Amino acid sequence: MGVRSISDRRSGAISRQMDHLTARKSRQKKIAKGAGALALALFCVLAIALMQRSGWLDGLNVGLMELAGRTRDGAVGQNITPLMRLASALGGTAGRLLLLALSLGYLLWAGRRRCALWLMAMMAGGTALNLILKQIFAAPRPDLLPHLDIVHTYSFPSGHAAGNMMFFGALAMLAARRFGYWAAAAIIALIGISRVWLGVHWPSDVTAGWIEGLGWLAFCAIWLPARGGEQ
């Protein structure tokens, strides 16, 4: 009995060690994948910046912005502009902070404290990343169309596009519902398009912002609390 008891304890200890090593390796793989996704996103942002500065994207940027200008000056476009202003305001710093506060309040009320902490940390880090990238590239705002919004920061990559990709993408991940992903995609797309419509961003600014936000979200997803895992 004594020998068997010792053997069982040794087997249990070995089994726990193996489980620990397996979990550690799985964690390392997730971190590597997340870091790889962020690195790829930043590489794409850099590539877009270089192409934009070299003039390779002028045809696409100017063509799409001129189309936006012609459309917004038309009878139908004049009715769409208020919607674009609203979408841009919703996705701006003040609007996003308000929505973030409401989301954090709901998560805390629902007892999902780890999710609230993750969302807050993810948004803080993502905002800092976007501000750093703006300072690095120091791209001026487009002046092809009259600006229909007041802007004070650099243009590339779009903070609206990046910030709302992170925020609404994170909400969709926390909700873990198919409808949530579709709704988030529609809101993200509308806010991004609104920045071109209002004349304050080139389409490539918005695209780079979306890529940046997606890469940061993929990296932060490593620490996303498991659904139903909070007590």
Side-chain angles (χ1 to χ4, degrees):
M1 293 292 293
V3 173
R4 179 175 295 179
S5 178
I6 294 173
S7 176
D8 290 344
R9 285 199 296 271
R10 287 179 177 176
S11 297
I14 293 172
S15 177
R16 287 192 295 273
Q17 289 178 352
M18 292 298 295
D19 291 342
H20 177 72
L21 289 174
T22 301
R24 185 177 179 181
K25 288 182 178 179
S26 176
R27 187 74 168 181
Q28 289 174 342
K29 287 182 179 179
K30 288 182 179 180
I31 293 175
K33 288 181 179 179
L38 178 58
L40 177 60
L42 293 178
F43 175 79
C44 291
V45 170
L46 175 60
I48 293 173
L50 293 176
M51 288 189 291
Q52 182 169 303
R53 290 196 175 188
S54 65
W56 293 356
L57 300 178
D58 286 355
L60 180 63
N61 279 332
V62 173
L64 290 176
M65 186 163 281
E66 286 181 340
L67 175 61
R70 290 193 301 270
T71 306
R72 81 182 193 185
D73 291 338
V76 176
Q78 292 177 5
N79 295 322
I80 296 176
T81 295
L83 173 63
M84 293 300 182
R85 288 181 183 272
L86 178 62
S88 183
L90 174 71
T93 301
R96 199 160 58 245
L97 284 176
L98 176 60
L99 293 176
L100 176 60
L102 293 173
S103 300
L104 292 175
Y106 170 76
L107 290 172
L108 292 173
W109 175 80
R112 302 178 67 181
R113 295 179 180 83
R114 290 176 58 200
C115 291
L117 180 60
W118 175 82
L119 179 61
M120 183 172 60
M122 186 276 299
M123 287 302 298
T127 301
L129 175 62
N130 184 256
L131 291 174
I132 291 171
L133 291 175
K134 280 180 177 288
Q135 293 300 317
I136 290 174
F137 295 114
R141 295 280 176 170
D143 57 3
L144 184 63
L145 300 177
H147 291 180
L148 300 184
D149 190 18
I150 300 174
V151 288
H152 302 288
T153 60
Y154 290 122
S155 185
F156 184 94
S158 167
H160 275 68
N164 289 290
M165 173 64 78
M166 298 172 195
F167 177 65
F168 288 105
L171 292 186
M173 292 170 65
L174 290 172
R177 295 287 187 272
R178 180 177 297 179
F179 172 78
Y181 286 104
W182 283 108
I187 295 171
I188 291 166
L190 177 61
I191 293 173
I193 292 170
S194 76
R195 303 306 285 168
V196 179
W197 184 277
L198 298 178
V200 295
H201 274 301
W202 296 115
S204 56
D205 297 338
V206 174
T207 302
W210 283 337
I211 294 172
E212 174 208 338
L214 190 60
W216 179 253
L217 195 57
F219 177 66
C220 292
I222 299 167
W223 295 279
L224 178 69
R227 184 171 177 82
E230 299 205 35
Q231 301 295 330

